[in-house]
Amino acid sequence: MAFLRKHGYYCMRSYGSKGPFDVIAVPSSKGSTLLIQAKYNGYVPKYELQQLKEIQKKLWGLVTIAYSENHKLRFKNLNEWRRDE
């Protein structure tokens, strides 16, 4: 969230994973609202990936997976995500 705030997003966190997203990040200017699912290693189970795809069809925002790779924060939107990652 600190990274996103530094880049002009207003962030809200869903504590305890009470919903499909861990963070919702709204841009302060142009851009898409990010609906973020955080994963430590980037693995998204098949059922969860399908759920996120269904939600993306209904909501106005970009479903994004945030994960760590070599101790660096990475983001991929759901349209870029492949099942084998």
Side-chain angles (χ1 to χ4, degrees):
M1 286 179 36
F3 173 84
L4 293 165
R5 286 181 177 137
K6 181 179 169 184
H7 288 87
Y9 283 85
Y10 171 76
C11 300
M12 296 172 285
R13 180 174 172 208
S14 173
Y15 289 93
S17 294
K18 298 292 183 195
F21 308 109
D22 298 309
V23 176
I24 297 174
V26 180
S28 59
S29 59
K30 291 190 250 181
S32 296
T33 296
L34 303 178
L35 308 169
I36 301 171
Q37 177 59 249
K39 297 292 184 188
Y40 177 73
N41 62 2
Y43 177 72
V44 181
K46 187 176 182 177
Y47 73 90
E48 194 171 336
L49 197 58
Q50 186 59 38
Q51 179 188 30
L52 292 172
K53 287 179 181 179
E54 291 297 320
I55 291 169
Q56 183 167 266
K57 291 177 187 175
K58 298 175 184 177
L59 298 178
W60 188 261
L62 183 61
V63 175
T64 304
I65 309 297
Y67 61 101
S68 175
E69 181 178 76
N70 298 324
H71 304 287
K72 293 186 178 182
L73 179 62
R74 302 284 186 219
F75 295 96
K76 277 195 176 179
N77 72 55
L78 194 59
N79 299 328
E80 298 172 324
W81 202 259
R82 294 190 339 246
R83 176 67 182 104
D84 59 331
E85 294 186 270

